[in-house]
Amino acid sequence: MTDVHLNLIDGTWVPGDHLTENRNPSDLSDLIGRYAAATAADVDRAARAAAAALPAWQAKGPLARAELLDRIARRVDAEAEVIGRMLAREEGKILPEAIAEVRRAAQIFRFYGGEALRIAGEALASVRPGVDVTITREPLGVVGLITPWNFPAAIPAWKVAPALAYGNAVILKPAELVPGTAHHLARIIHEEGCPPGIFNLVMGPGSVVGRAMVDHPLIAGLSFTGSVPTGRAIALAGAATMKKLQLEMGGKNPMVVLDDADLDLAVAACLNGAFFSTGQRCTASSRLIVQAGVHDAFVARLTEAMLALRVGPALAEDSQIGPVVSAMQLRGNLDYVDLARAEGCTVIGGEALNGPTEGYFQRPALFLGAQNDMRVAREEIFGPCAAVIKVADFDEALSVANDTPFGLSAGICTASLKHARAFRQGARVGMVMVNLPTAGVDFHVPFGGTKGSSLGPREQGRHAAEFFTTMKTAYSFGG
Ligand code: ADP
């Protein structure tokens, strides 16, 4: 059966205990393939293989890792169109965005190929004469990586690449909805010569495979991106084996538009931030906080632009917004549209749409007249829906922006240096954007948030070393 895809454990492709269908959310008649769901015993085999393979791999030194990552980057780039098509088919991102995401994955592998050779330590004078003190970074060991469905190429890349660069062995579990892109990446990593056991792919349900990773005593660190409830469950369960944790969860990201903003720029930033990628980004702008003087003009312009967005199949050339990822997600989005009305908002758009094929299409939605204490302004929806909140001035805007359990990204559109500066300083988030969408980040600088959005060290850039390495302080006397 050519459409069956297996798990990679200890350098061998192995079946799990059942197969899961991967279907195209733009066209439910399109069966992409069947993917083997691993078991807890498979996770155990992968963890043992990883631990056993580590010493020989680490002995090869950083150049072997740098060269491997560079080869992977080249292959991902060379196959970007094929992988991008798979990504668009299984996740629903429009093809240009899907291919761009795969190219981003290649850039990330290339970046960490360089970082493998730049793992620096420190040497200090001791407080005791004759004693030398050095601080070095060592690999964490076997790391578990659990990824969500919304960036099937980029998120696995930004966890796998630093994990390998800093000398760890990896067990990757992609989200059940999008195993195809991760499987393709796994094949490349394997074929480019990653030693058996150093990279393992285990697919399947989070409640079984993910949970087995969280519980496994040989897995020293676990990096997760996903929802808040799952992150919380992992934090609690991970404590039992004293795992180092890196959790990236949700957002309810504010975008402030002040009266003095360049309106063209503000509308473009909000359109992109709120609705592109079908709003399925943890950095999406889901609260548009708009000053009273510009509110009506801004809403009129944004409404016009939003209703003009072409929603359609991910692979169709004229689509600007692809489908929602799954039936469950679409149902959740539509429930929030109903809730917005029930909470007193005027809703524009938001209805389910018929496409040329059977799929989960939804018109983007604006919830006008929202208050920041409404559920639609507090809970992450993870769909193409944005609440518009009117405020009197900058101080109120900043206070509303910060009044949220999340703290991932925040943006402001303004021509005022004073307000831009005050917002950069006052926003209680991990990433702040001035005259730019809340979504869309570079790959060589830290990514992550504060409050309920993140736990543990930042991802991406050289700061990823803080999670993927542990520090050793060495004292020596004599000689
Ligand atoms: P979403 O589906 O919205 O991306 P989830 O938090 O449900 O968010 O899933 C993110 C990842 O976490 C997926 O790979 C999923 O399979 C995995 N996962 C779900 N539940 C658990 C769990 N209890 N333990 C470990 N991983 C889990």
Side-chain angles (χ1 to χ4, degrees):
M1 286 188 286
T2 52
D3 72 337
V4 169
H5 304 275
L6 304 181
N7 298 296
L8 178 65
I9 296 175
D10 201 12
T12 305
W13 296 101
V14 294
D17 70 350
H18 66 277
L19 295 172
T20 305
E21 283 191 350
N22 183 3
R23 281 199 185 264
N24 181 344
S26 299
D27 176 3
L28 301 183
S29 70
D30 178 21
L31 174 62
I32 297 166
R34 283 172 295 160
Y35 291 79
T39 62
D42 292 326
V43 171
D44 181 53
R45 260 193 297 283
R48 288 173 193 278
L54 263 178
W57 175 234
Q58 284 169 355
K60 290 198 169 170
L63 187 58
R65 309 200 296 265
E67 289 177 345
L68 170 67
L69 290 166
D70 199 52
R71 290 196 302 276
I72 296 169
R74 280 170 212 258
R75 268 286 291 283
V76 172
D77 242 345
E79 295 173 25
E81 305 238 334
V82 178
I83 308 171
R85 229 183 137 71
M86 163 61 84
L87 198 165
R89 264 174 92 199
E90 69 177 357
E91 198 266 353
K93 209 165 275 180
I94 57 169
L95 188 59
E97 280 182 12
I99 294 174
E101 184 186 328
V102 177
R103 294 210 182 280
R104 165 64 61 103
Q107 289 165 333
I108 291 168
F109 278 107
R110 192 168 300 115
F111 173 84
Y112 282 106
E115 285 305 286
L117 296 173
R118 284 192 284 267
I119 304 171
E122 293 172 54
L124 282 80
S126 168
V127 295
R128 288 168 283 171
V131 173
D132 295 326
V133 182
T134 60
I135 304 167
T136 51
R137 285 195 178 271
E138 298 187 343
L140 206 51
V142 180
V143 294
L145 311 177
I146 297 180
T147 54
W149 50 259
N150 64 330
F151 284 93
I155 296 181
W158 85 47
K159 292 187 194 290
V160 170
L164 292 176
Y166 297 117
N168 301 284
V170 167
I171 302 173
L172 170 66
K173 194 206 90 63
E176 275 177 287
L177 286 172
V178 294
T181 307
H183 194 276
H184 197 129
L185 283 178
R187 191 150 51 76
I188 289 177
I189 294 168
H190 177 58
E191 289 173 2
E192 289 306 320
C194 189
I198 294 300
F199 175 85
N200 305 274
L201 175 77
V202 287
M203 300 177 288
S207 55
V208 177
V209 184
R211 184 62 204 248
M213 290 165 69
V214 174
D215 290 342
H216 204 288
L218 285 179
I219 298 180
L222 195 122
S223 177
F224 160 87
T225 302
S227 63
V228 173
T230 306
R232 191 175 293 126
I234 289 177
L236 289 169
T241 49
M242 294 295 179
K243 273 188 181 44
K244 186 171 181 182
L245 294 176
Q246 179 178 56
L247 308 178
E248 282 303 333
M249 295 159 290
K252 192 73 186 177
N253 309 291
M255 171 55 103
V256 171
V257 178
L258 294 186
D259 284 351
D260 64 13
D262 174 330
L263 211 52
D264 289 337
L265 187 151
V267 169
C270 291
L271 194 72
N272 175 325
F275 307 123
F276 285 17
S277 302
T278 323
Q280 299 177 147
R281 299 186 281 190
C282 49
T283 48
S285 315
S286 44
R287 291 183 300 144
L288 310 179
I289 300 167
V290 187
Q291 198 173 354
V294 76
H295 177 272
D296 292 356
F298 170 82
V299 164
R301 294 271 303 274
L302 183 61
T303 300
E304 192 187 351
M306 181 191 82
L307 293 176
L309 288 171
R310 291 184 301 275
V311 179
L315 294 178
E317 241 171 52
D318 62 347
S319 294
Q320 292 173 295
I321 305 289
V324 173
V325 74
S326 67
M328 201 172 88
Q329 186 67 45
L330 177 59
R331 204 172 315 121
N333 294 352
L334 296 173
D335 285 348
Y336 273 112
V337 170
D338 289 343
L339 178 65
R341 277 200 193 90
E343 289 190 304
C345 296
T346 302
V347 175
I348 299 175
E351 70 274 22
L353 295 173
N354 289 322
T357 43
E358 195 191 342
Y360 307 121
F361 303 106
Q362 182 186 14
R363 196 186 302 289
L366 280 175
F367 304 155
L368 303 181
Q371 303 292 322
N372 200 47
D373 58 0
M374 291 177 178
R375 279 183 56 202
V376 290
R378 301 204 81 73
E379 298 172 12
E380 185 177 46
I381 299 174
F382 222 68
C385 308
V388 180
I389 302 165
K390 195 196 280 191
V391 292
D393 54 23
F394 173 81
D395 290 341
E396 190 188 353
L398 180 61
S399 135
V400 168
N402 282 335
D403 178 11
T404 166
F406 296 105
L408 189 56
S409 178
I412 187 167
C413 290
T414 178
S416 154
L417 274 177
K418 180 179 139 196
H419 286 142
R421 184 165 189 267
F423 192 78
R424 278 203 315 271
Q425 290 177 345
R428 285 166 52 217
V429 290
M431 298 175 290
V432 61
M433 315 289 184
V434 176
N435 293 323
L436 288 166
T438 55
V441 296
D442 289 3
F443 60 86
H444 64 308
V445 289
F447 178 98
T450 60
K451 299 194 274 181
S453 291
S454 303
L455 184 81
R458 290 280 186 270
E459 301 195 85
Q460 304 215 55
R462 65 187 169 79
H463 297 82
E466 282 165 33
F467 178 73
F468 287 108
T469 63
T470 179
M471 267 186 281
K472 179 176 278 175
T473 309
Y475 298 84
S476 43
F477 178 69

